[in-house]
């Protein structure tokens, strides 16, 4: 490959060297004779090439020196048809002193490979003349060193840079509203604008500071943190050392609350707080602990007032006036329970009884308590004696359901199925019936056990004294809906109702009341003294007692003689 400005085998061109010869475009020809022949014996440079130069060199050609005084140079023309100039002498070109002549290489300007003059190159573009420097990706053609120009300083698009910087700003930190209206300046726009490259841009105007917004955000965050710490710190101090929040006074209005069984002070306080009775649980627990009888608050329903002081709430719950409970004593018949529910709930008389009759199978009775013949009330014996919440606003079926659930709970503890078989009964239903009879006829625990033995002895098939008839006044009173002590013999002998044990053998179709735990225990564990007659003497005077006792002993002796 031939290097520009050097002959074959020469050293590569260095940027410090002239491009063409040691003198570049301003260099001189080494052989003036040839130049004279080429230009018609005229000096193309207008002076003797061997004249003394400014450094004192003159006369004959000297040995090669790297530097010569540059002379004004006229542009050379060539007659090559390819370039449109005059015909150059064949074999002549440019050279430097001390180096052989080299053929002119026009490829420095066109980028094509060097070819001899007079030779028509092959057309590589098929008759087209592409502009190799007309594309945006091409570099401009090289120029001689003397004609080269410095690259122009790049023009900065200030508006584009300002727009890019503006996009990176978030309205939260710049204080803007997101519409791009935050370019405001303090100086006069006419004085703060300058142009560069024909473009207007914002100049020396100063933007209004947005640091105040960021500072305000930081201040609010710090203030919120300090306020939160202070609030929770105050709450902690109040919880540890301060008095619990509490209302003042005895409150107003009415509110019904129900306290479950075995509820602790905190559980009761929570119920009262949710109902709006007390202001805080801690206040109630504190007042309950200070009251001498505070720990004796029982389960049940209470009628209290809203926004009461904790002290007033404790005092009212201990007073019978606030207790909205319905207390069912042992042995009470269902008809009495229905009337009490109507009164507590503010209902018309007979409402609860009608609900019980219509929804008896939906109130939770066990299977063994259903579908018995001649039963006057299927719920009899299942409204277990206890205290139940019952206040205005409650539904009668809800109150009845709680009572039946309590009966199932108590009966489930006794294993009535197995016990009934041991006692010669047909099932739990008959065992509950026996307990109801014991409850109605006895007065004390000892009476209950003796009365239970009387029932079982009279039910025996070999009983010839009463012939398996119980002959209890309590059963006749139940069918009559009364509680009379004195019943005439004529009256009982002429009534053949299934509940009349004077005329019907065996047990009644069902319970005649709601037995308590003691009556149930006695029915499960009767005495074994051979009692077949037993009469409770409570309420009798001495004459009545003596007469009854004599009759009882006479009957007992007769029974023992027959046995």
């Amino acid at each position: 490959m031939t290097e520009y400005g050097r002959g074959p085998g020469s050293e590569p061109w260095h940027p410090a060297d002239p491009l063409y010869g040691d003198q570049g475009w301003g260099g001189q020809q080494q052989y003036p004779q040839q130049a004279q022949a080429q230009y018609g014996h005229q000096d193309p440079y207008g002076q003797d090439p061997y004249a003394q130069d400014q450094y004192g060199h003159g006369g004959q050609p000297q040995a090669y020196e790297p530097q010569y005084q540059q002379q004004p140079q006229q542009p050379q023309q060539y007659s090559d048809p390819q370039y449109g100039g005059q015909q150059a002498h064949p074999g002549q070109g440019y050279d430097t002193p001390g180096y052989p002549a080299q053929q002119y290489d026009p490829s420095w300007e066109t980028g094509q490979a060097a070819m001899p003059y007079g030779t028509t190159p092959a057309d590589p573009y098929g008759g087209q003349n592409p502009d190799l420097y007309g594309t945006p990706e091409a570099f401009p053609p090289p120029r001689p060193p003397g004609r080269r120009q410095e690259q122009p300083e790049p023009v900065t698009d200030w508006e584009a840079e300002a727009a890019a910087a503006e996009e990176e700003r978030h309205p939260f930190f710049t204080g803007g509203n997101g519409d791009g209206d935050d370019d405001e300046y303090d100086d006069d726009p006419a004085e703060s604008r300058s142009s560069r490259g024909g473009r207007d841009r914002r100049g020396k105007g100063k933007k209004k500071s947005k640091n105040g917004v960021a500072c305000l955000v930081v201040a609010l965050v710090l203030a919120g943190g300090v306020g939160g710490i202070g609030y929770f710190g105050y709450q902690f101090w109040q919880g540890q050392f301060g008095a619990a929040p509490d209302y003042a006074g005895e409150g107003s209005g009415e509110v019904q609350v129900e306290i479950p069984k075995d509820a602790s002070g905190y559980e009761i306080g929570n119920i009262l707080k949710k109902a709006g009775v007390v202001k805080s649980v801690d206040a109630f627990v504190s007042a309950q602990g200070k009251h001498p009888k505070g720990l004796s608050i029982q389960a049940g329903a209470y009628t209290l007032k809203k926004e009461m002081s904790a002290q007033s709430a404790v005092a009212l719950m201990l007073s019978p006036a606030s207790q909205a409970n319905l207390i069912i004593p042992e042995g009470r018949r269902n008809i009495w329970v229905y009337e009490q529910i109507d009164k507590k709930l503010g209902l018309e008389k007979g409402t609860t009884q009608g609900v019980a009759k219509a929804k008896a199978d939906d109130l939770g009775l066990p299977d063994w308590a259903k579908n018995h013949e001649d039963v006057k009330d299927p719920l009899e014996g299942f409204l277990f004696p206890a205290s139940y919440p019952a206040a205005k606003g409650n539904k009668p079926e809800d109150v009845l359901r709680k009572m039946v659930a309590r009966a199932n709970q108590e009966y489930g503890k006794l294993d009535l199925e197995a016990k009934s078989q041991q006692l010669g009964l047909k099932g739990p239903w008959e065992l509950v019936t026996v307990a109801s009879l014991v409850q109605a006829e006895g007065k004390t625990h000892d009476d209950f056990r003796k009365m239970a033995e009387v029932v079982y002895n009279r039910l025996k098939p070999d009983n010839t004294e009463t012939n398996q008839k119980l002959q209890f006044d309590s059963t006749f009173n139940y069918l009559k809906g009364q509680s009379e002590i004195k019943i005439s013999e004529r009256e009982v002998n002429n009534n053949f109702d299934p509940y009349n044990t004077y005329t019907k053998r065996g047990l009644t179709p069902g319970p005649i009341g709601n037995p308590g735990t003691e009556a149930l225990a006695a029915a499960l564990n009767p005495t074994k003294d051979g009692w077949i007659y037993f009469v409770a003497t409570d309420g009798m005077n001495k004459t009545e007692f003596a007469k009854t006792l004599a009759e009882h002993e006479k009957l007992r002796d007769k029974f023992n003689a027959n046995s």
Side-chain angles (χ1 to χ4, degrees):
M1 180 178 182
T2 303
E3 305 227 4
Y4 299 134
R6 299 292 188 189
S10 63
E11 297 179 359
W13 171 78
H14 193 275
D17 297 335
L19 182 60
Y20 298 102
D22 293 332
Q23 304 299 323
W25 288 89
Q28 301 178 358
Q29 293 289 341
Q30 182 177 4
Y31 304 104
Q33 293 83 359
Q34 295 179 2
Q36 290 176 5
Q38 181 180 358
Y39 296 102
H41 304 284
Q42 294 181 2
D43 184 2
Y45 301 102
Q47 66 178 26
D48 185 0
Y50 298 102
Q52 185 175 2
D53 58 17
Q54 59 180 345
Y55 296 100
H57 302 148
Q60 298 299 323
Q62 304 295 326
Y64 171 75
E65 296 179 4
Q67 300 294 336
Y68 294 92
Q69 180 179 3
Q70 297 184 2
Q71 301 295 335
Q73 179 178 352
Q74 299 297 329
Q76 300 181 11
Q77 296 182 356
Y78 304 91
S79 60
D80 194 320
Q82 183 179 359
Y83 298 94
Q86 297 180 0
Q87 177 65 40
H89 293 279
Q92 293 184 358
Y94 57 89
D95 59 359
T96 58
Y99 290 84
Q102 181 177 352
Q103 183 67 32
Y104 169 72
D105 185 3
S107 64
W108 69 271
E109 183 174 8
T110 65
Q112 300 178 2
M115 300 181 65
Y117 287 100
T119 303
T120 303
D123 188 359
Y125 300 104
Q128 299 180 1
N129 187 20
D131 185 2
L132 300 178
Y133 303 100
T135 61
E137 296 81 5
F139 290 100
R143 296 179 179 273
R147 297 181 183 178
R148 295 176 182 173
Q149 296 180 358
E150 296 182 359
Q151 293 293 334
E153 181 179 353
V155 178
T156 304
D157 192 346
W158 297 102
E159 290 186 351
E161 289 190 358
E166 188 69 22
E167 291 177 357
E168 296 178 357
R169 298 195 186 107
H170 195 282
F172 177 77
F173 295 99
T174 59
N177 56 7
D179 298 332
D181 297 337
D182 15 320
D183 254 353
E184 299 178 359
Y185 298 85
D186 294 337
D187 299 341
D188 188 356
E191 297 177 2
S192 64
R193 295 185 180 179
S194 62
S195 71
R196 185 174 182 177
R199 295 182 178 89
D200 293 339
R201 65 181 180 88
R202 303 277 185 176
K204 300 180 181 180
K206 297 181 179 179
K207 288 188 176 182
K208 293 184 178 180
S209 174
K210 301 297 190 292
N211 293 336
V213 177
C215 293
L216 178 59
V217 173
V218 174
L220 290 175
V221 172
L222 293 176
V226 173
I229 294 174
Y231 173 78
F232 287 108
Y234 174 76
Q235 293 295 325
F236 176 78
W237 183 88
Q238 281 287 93
Q240 296 294 326
F241 309 105
D246 196 4
Y247 293 121
E250 298 181 355
S252 60
E254 285 189 358
V255 59
Q256 302 287 335
V257 296
E258 182 177 345
I259 306 302
K261 186 178 180 181
D262 300 328
S264 65
Y266 281 97
E267 292 175 329
I268 298 174
N270 223 350
I271 294 173
L272 298 183
K273 181 182 178 181
K274 290 180 180 180
V277 177
V278 297
K279 193 171 186 179
S280 67
V281 177
D282 291 339
F284 176 81
V285 173
S286 177
Q288 184 186 26
K290 293 178 181 179
H291 197 285
K293 298 181 180 179
L295 299 178
S296 63
I297 295 177
Q298 300 296 319
Y302 294 86
T303 302
L304 303 176
K305 299 179 180 180
K306 287 192 174 183
E307 298 186 359
M308 302 179 67
S309 67
Q311 182 179 0
S312 300
V314 172
L316 186 57
M317 293 184 75
L318 292 172
S319 172
S322 68
Q323 297 177 5
N325 296 336
L326 175 59
I327 300 175
I328 307 299
E330 292 87 346
R332 291 290 185 175
R333 301 170 187 165
N334 280 5
I335 189 63
W336 180 89
V337 177
Y338 297 151
E339 293 176 355
Q340 300 303 311
I341 293 176
D342 288 340
K343 292 179 180 179
K344 283 288 184 180
L345 303 186
L347 303 176
E348 295 183 1
K349 186 178 180 180
T351 301
T352 304
Q353 184 177 7
V355 171
K357 184 177 181 179
K359 299 182 178 181
D361 292 339
D362 299 330
L363 297 178
L365 290 174
D367 292 338
W368 53 262
K370 299 179 180 178
N371 302 321
H372 293 282
E373 296 181 358
D374 299 327
V375 173
K376 295 187 178 298
D377 188 345
L379 294 182
E380 196 76 68
F382 280 87
L383 304 185
F384 195 82
S387 177
Y388 299 96
K392 292 181 180 180
N394 296 141
K395 295 181 179 180
E397 54 266 35
D398 294 337
V399 179
L400 294 173
R401 191 173 286 111
K402 291 178 182 179
M403 295 178 178
V404 174
R406 179 66 181 275
N408 290 330
Q409 180 182 358
E410 297 296 332
Y411 294 159
K413 299 176 182 179
L414 303 176
D415 192 12
L416 299 182
E417 186 72 33
K419 292 291 185 180
S420 62
Q421 295 179 1
Q422 295 176 6
L423 296 171
L425 301 176
K426 294 180 181 180
W429 180 254
E430 290 191 349
L431 186 53
V432 174
T433 302
V434 171
S436 69
L437 295 173
V438 170
Q439 183 75 64
E441 294 289 334
K443 302 296 182 182
T444 65
H445 179 68
D446 291 337
D447 292 346
F448 292 154
R449 291 192 66 200
K450 294 174 181 178
M451 185 58 63
E453 184 182 8
V454 169
V455 172
Y456 293 131
N457 287 335
R458 290 188 179 185
L459 291 177
K460 290 179 178 180
D462 56 355
N463 174 20
T464 59
E465 185 70 25
T466 63
N467 297 319
Q468 297 180 337
K469 295 179 181 176
L470 297 180
Q471 297 180 347
F472 287 170
D473 292 348
S474 57
T475 59
F476 187 81
N477 285 332
Y478 177 81
L479 72 89
K480 299 292 288 186
Q482 63 185 17
S483 298
E484 299 292 335
I485 298 177
K486 294 180 179 182
I487 302 175
S488 66
E489 185 176 350
R490 179 182 177 182
E491 185 178 6
V492 295
N493 290 331
N494 291 330
N495 189 309
F496 298 96
D497 189 274
Y499 279 82
N500 184 5
T501 56
Y502 282 96
T503 58
K504 180 181 177 296
R505 294 181 180 183
L507 294 173
T508 56
I512 62 172
N514 295 285
T517 55
E518 289 188 349
L520 285 167
L524 295 173
N525 187 25
T527 60
K528 299 185 182 300
D529 296 333
W531 293 94
I532 193 172
Y533 290 98
F534 182 83
V535 178
T537 59
D538 291 351
M540 295 183 180
N541 55 35
K542 292 181 179 182
T543 304
E544 292 175 341
F545 174 75
K547 182 179 179 179
T548 302
L549 182 58
E551 293 177 354
H552 172 70
E553 290 177 351
K554 180 180 179 181
L555 291 173
R556 183 186 61 182
D557 294 340
K558 182 179 179 180
F559 174 78
N560 292 334
N562 293 331
S563 61

